[in-house]
Amino acid sequence: MKRFVGYEYITAQAAARRSQNVLGAMACLAGGAQLHTRANLEAIGGQIDTSSLAEDTFTTFKTQLAGNRVVFDGNATVWAEEPDNIDGLWKQRLRWGRGNVQVSFRYKHMWFRPSPDHGLGSYSSGLFWFCLFLLPIFKIVASASFVALFFIDFPLSWAAFKMLWITNAIGYIFITSFTLMIDPETARNTWREAVTFPGLISLAIIHYTLFPRFFKWALLEVLELVHIPASGPVLRSIILFIYFWLAASMLAAWAAKVVESRRRLRWLSPPLVYISGYGPLLCAIMFSSYIKEARGAEMTWDKTEKTEKTGKVAMP
């Protein structure tokens, strides 16, 4: 798990924050890696906002709304303890996710309303924020749309599916390659997690979009090996499963958390993460944060369990 977190931190911090520097609107600088001037702390109220579960995001937003710049420095580093199991990760990221829900509603008046004083209200900044914040919803809607089109207009559903996954393949190759080049040291230890970040099943779908002939040949060989005829109904069932997988991957990732707490089934948890993907696991946690906030759950601060295992994070 810690290697997935290590790779994610290169992506979320070193790569994503660089792009936000270019946009001129920073979504969040990690709380353990923020450096403030005294003047800025006084400008944002003289204290850290503790009324939410994302105090670092609120501080980042308030700094920019006060007319000051937030800049990411990719050359500095900080060492931080991170969870090394799903349960610890789930508690940490659930708090972060709920904090992002609170930020989204607290600043609802600002989104997509450009201001000359800051870049947070720009269209590019809003798209950046909501494409990540609403990713679980997008996955569910996409799956539901493909399944519905499967029965209504199969050729249209297949054309749309290929277009979507070709886009995914291009994004996957670019993001993975760029991220690994940013931090070669971490890349040497996490390249397997980088490659399998979307999950083995999603990775197979990406391979299909890039090498359809080879994938079809391999699929037919596997079906023959397990003595399953490559008939029309079988192939259409596989396609229907692939359509459903965008949403189902989050369920599979959630199952990895469930079995981790079962002593006899704990060994299934790591394979499930690799099959479903670390990305879908984060989406499952984000979706859970929607539910927690909608129910008005008590705000609790579940600290990261201390394991004396550290990870390097780029520091602003």
Side-chain angles (χ1 to χ4, degrees):
M1 183 58 64
K2 60 183 179 294
R3 288 195 296 270
F4 271 120
V5 174
Y7 170 73
E8 178 206 357
Y9 268 20
I10 312 176
T11 308
Q13 301 290 338
R17 300 301 181 248
R18 279 176 167 85
S19 66
Q20 292 172 24
N21 268 349
V22 175
L23 292 176
M26 193 64 59
C28 175
L29 290 179
Q34 288 188 8
L35 292 175
H36 295 266
T37 63
R38 180 184 181 90
N40 180 64
L41 287 177
E42 291 175 348
I44 62 175
Q47 59 183 0
I48 303 300
D49 190 328
T50 57
S51 64
S52 77
L53 292 171
E55 78 295 336
D56 49 1
T57 306
F58 273 95
T59 302
T60 304
F61 272 50
K62 286 183 175 182
T63 296
Q64 294 168 94
L65 292 173
N68 295 321
R69 286 191 64 197
V70 175
V71 180
F72 172 82
D73 182 358
N75 296 316
T77 58
V78 62
W79 292 89
E81 284 190 307
E82 295 298 329
D84 64 347
N85 57 55
I86 298 178
D87 184 62
L89 181 78
W90 194 282
K91 290 178 181 178
Q92 181 193 61
R93 302 308 171 86
L94 183 63
R95 175 170 59 84
W96 293 5
R98 292 184 62 191
N100 286 337
V101 174
Q102 294 162 4
V103 169
S104 299
F105 281 98
R106 182 82 64 88
Y107 294 103
K108 60 184 178 181
H109 62 282
M110 178 195 70
W111 300 115
F112 303 107
R113 294 179 180 176
S115 169
D117 301 322
H118 58 81
L120 287 175
S122 67
Y123 293 104
S124 57
S125 175
L127 285 173
F128 196 104
W129 178 271
F130 285 103
C131 280
L132 293 175
F133 175 66
L134 297 177
L135 187 56
I137 303 297
F138 293 153
K139 288 169 74 72
I140 293 171
V141 171
S143 273
S145 300
F146 281 131
V147 171
L149 276 176
F150 177 87
F151 295 103
I152 298 172
D153 189 337
F154 176 73
L156 177 60
S157 73
W158 189 241
F161 165 81
K162 288 192 290 186
M163 184 178 297
L164 172 67
W165 279 95
I166 288 173
T167 304
N168 283 344
I170 295 172
Y172 166 76
I173 293 172
F174 172 76
I175 292 172
T176 304
S177 302
F178 178 59
T179 300
L180 293 178
M181 287 189 292
I182 289 175
D183 190 339
E185 181 184 349
T186 305
R188 283 194 293 270
N189 298 320
T190 65
W191 66 269
R192 296 178 185 83
E193 286 66 35
V195 172
T196 58
F197 191 88
L200 293 176
I201 292 180
S202 293
L203 191 59
I205 299 173
I206 290 173
H207 276 85
Y208 165 75
T209 61
L210 298 176
F211 311 104
R213 292 185 179 179
F214 174 78
F215 187 88
K216 289 177 182 178
W217 170 82
L219 177 61
L220 292 175
E221 289 293 318
V222 170
L223 290 177
E224 183 178 350
L225 184 64
V226 295
H227 305 292
I228 297 178
S231 60
V234 170
L235 295 178
R236 289 175 73 88
S237 296
I238 293 174
I239 292 172
L240 189 58
F241 168 78
I242 292 174
Y243 285 180
F244 186 63
W245 180 248
L246 274 172
S249 61
M250 292 191 295
L251 288 174
W254 172 77
K257 174 184 181 298
V258 173
V259 299
E260 185 185 64
S261 61
R262 308 291 194 273
R263 181 174 299 178
R264 294 182 179 180
L265 298 175
R266 191 171 298 164
W267 62 274
L268 278 173
S269 184
L272 275 174
V273 172
Y274 279 96
I275 291 171
S276 60
Y278 183 80
L281 175 62
L282 297 180
C283 284
I285 299 173
M286 190 68 224
F287 189 80
S288 180
S289 73
Y290 299 160
I291 298 174
K292 286 281 188 179
E293 280 300 293
R295 291 179 174 177
E298 181 182 357
M299 292 199 303
T300 57
W301 189 285
D302 293 313
K303 293 184 178 180
T304 302
E305 184 178 347
K306 302 300 182 181
T307 61
E308 297 183 359
K309 297 176 182 178
T310 59
K312 186 174 72 173
V313 184
M315 186 178 79

